[in-house]
Every structure is written in C-alpha cells, then in structure tokens.
Amino acid sequence: MDTLQSASDDRALLQSEWQFQDASPQGMMLNTLSNELSDGDVSEIISYLPEIEGLEVLELGAGIGRFTTHLAQKARHVTAVDFVDKFIKKNQKSNSCLDNIDYVVDDVMNLKMSPNSADLIFTNWFFMYLDNESTRCLLAKLLYWLSLNGHVFLRESCVHGSGNISLRKATTYYREPNDYEALFNSVTVPTEDKQAVYGFNVIASRPVEIYRKVMNNSNQITWLLQKVRRDASSTLEH
C-alpha cells in the first residue's frame, strides 16, 4: 500500500509540475532550442512509425498535439490522452479541422480502455517519468489494450536529460537502453484461452538523429514494439 501511495504521490507531483509549463513546443520539449528541433523531431519520429492508414491509434501523453495532427491525418481514429487540461485544450483547438480525434483529460495510469481496442499505441517521453514497477504495470495494460500484432512506439531520454528546462521536483528515470529492453521482455499477460501469453517483440530501435546533429546527443532512443503470442515456457528464457 505504501508503494502504491508513493507512486500516486509521484504522479500528482509530476502533474503539478507540468501545469506550470507553457502550452508550446518549448514547454513540451523542455528545451529553449525547440525552434531548431521541433519540426525535424516530429518529422523524424513520424517516419519511424509503421503504416497507420485506417488504424485505431491511442496517443498517451499527447500534450498540445505536436504528433496528434500527423497521426490523425492518416489513422482512422486517434484517442489523445493527457493529464494537463490546458494542453488538451490547445491540442483540440489546433486540430479543430479534424473530426477523428477524441480528447481525454486523465492520468494514463488511471486510464480504462477496452481490450484489443488499439492498433498502435504512441508515447513520447512518457516512461522516463515512471519507476520500474509502474513501467511494468503500464506495459501490461498496453498488452491488453493492443490488438494482436499491434504496435507500441516510444521515445525516451536515456542516460541523461536532453532539455535545458527542468521539472524541479519531479523524478525522472534516465535509464540505459538495455534497461528498457529488459523491462519490455519482462512483461507478459495471459491469452484469452489461458494456453499461452502475450508479450512484446522489439521490432526496431534507433537514436533520434536531429538530437545528435543539433545537441550532440545520441541518447534520445526510439523503440517499436509488437504484441505477439508466444508459448508461456518461452518467457522463462528471458
């Protein structure tokens, strides 16, 4: 119970810290170099996604919609979730011409979604604010929410921070890339027939080139994961 309360307190503190950030690319990226980074960053990240034409997309930590617009222009439908109301309002205003987006103000850790309801789950700088236990908990939820062979895309700051604006009181976990992959491999959930498990395969991983070029930083890392069915005994090998 103490661990659950501590995680809840951490999320409340993180939410309060984000409330003070501007609803702008600089506020989202926590970086005064956002003018040099933002457009190229968005284009590069979008280029790493699988084909999403006609798919159901769940965007976690959607913010002001830096990526929401691009997702919604191709996907059948996007559910954009963020726990800061002013960010969602900015997102909704920016995308008022698109009618295939639902906006949800909620903490992702409390979010309820139907099983197999998303074909792609997109996150950007999200897991770096979760401890290992919370990360495993959310990864398990993603496996339930994803359709079979659906994908999760995530980008995280590894090793050290990449911005020059800080969240003063919130805890950030700058993991090694290998630590993330160990977490991905550690999570499975039972299949509906209880005869096997669902888990993640890492399909691709790469650094974000624009951060390498502009900030000499090779530790912005992206992953593309796929939900797969596997024999339960195979998880013992990880």
Side-chain angles (χ1 to χ4, degrees):
M1 195 65 185
D2 288 342
T3 302
L4 292 174
Q5 186 60 53
S6 176
S8 179
D9 291 345
D10 286 346
R11 295 297 295 171
L13 177 59
L14 181 66
Q15 184 176 16
S16 69
E17 287 280 295
W18 276 109
Q19 296 281 0
F20 289 104
Q21 298 304 315
D22 291 336
S24 66
Q26 178 172 301
M28 297 296 93
M29 302 179 80
L30 298 177
N31 200 318
T32 58
L33 297 176
S34 61
N35 286 341
E36 298 176 51
L37 290 165
S38 185
D39 288 348
D41 180 72
V42 171
S43 297
E44 183 176 349
I45 294 298
I46 292 296
S47 75
Y48 295 156
L49 299 182
E51 178 55 57
I52 63 170
E53 189 79 34
L55 298 187
E56 184 73 28
V57 175
L58 174 61
E59 184 184 10
L60 306 180
I64 63 173
R66 293 177 59 234
F67 298 100
T68 310
T69 305
H70 298 271
L71 295 170
Q73 285 172 344
K74 289 190 174 182
R76 185 188 72 79
H77 179 265
V78 175
T79 301
V81 184
D82 201 282
F83 63 4
V84 179
D85 182 65
K86 68 178 179 180
F87 295 164
I88 285 292
K89 286 180 178 176
K90 177 72 175 289
N91 192 329
Q92 191 166 13
K93 182 177 180 181
S94 298
N95 290 305
S96 59
C97 61
L98 297 171
D99 62 1
N100 62 333
I101 307 172
D102 283 341
Y103 302 91
V104 178
V105 180
D106 198 0
D107 187 340
V108 168
M109 301 307 291
N110 301 324
L111 188 66
K112 307 294 183 185
M113 298 291 295
S114 299
N116 308 308
S117 60
D119 302 304
L120 170 70
I121 299 176
F122 179 93
T123 75
N124 184 67
W125 292 317
F126 193 90
F127 288 93
M128 58 192 275
Y129 297 113
L130 300 178
D131 63 21
N132 286 351
E133 183 176 351
S134 297
T135 294
R136 283 189 285 266
C137 177
L138 181 57
L139 287 170
K141 290 182 179 181
L142 302 192
L143 283 170
Y144 280 116
W145 298 343
L146 270 177
S147 57
L148 182 59
N149 299 319
H151 294 90
V152 174
F153 178 88
L154 62 155
R155 181 264 285 276
E156 302 296 338
S157 297
C158 294
V159 185
H160 56 72
S162 297
N164 53 23
I165 300 171
S166 63
L167 297 177
R168 295 166 297 170
K169 298 178 182 179
T171 301
T172 310
Y173 300 89
Y174 297 118
R175 299 178 176 93
E176 295 283 344
N178 287 344
D179 293 333
Y180 272 107
E181 300 206 9
L183 285 165
F184 304 150
N185 287 327
S186 72
V187 177
T188 60
V189 299
T191 57
E192 293 82 357
D193 60 11
K194 310 298 183 185
Q195 300 301 306
V197 296
Y198 294 123
F200 288 117
N201 279 352
V202 177
I203 303 301
S205 177
R206 66 191 88 189
V208 179
E209 288 298 325
I210 194 166
Y211 271 79
R212 194 202 302 264
K213 292 176 182 177
V214 175
M215 301 192 71
N216 194 31
N217 182 343
S218 300
N219 293 304
Q220 284 288 311
I221 308 296
T222 69
W223 285 272
L224 182 65
L225 313 179
Q226 187 172 36
K227 175 182 175 177
V228 296
R229 180 185 172 109
R230 60 169 69 104
D231 181 66
S233 63
S234 68
T235 64
L236 299 177
E237 300 173 3
H238 291 301

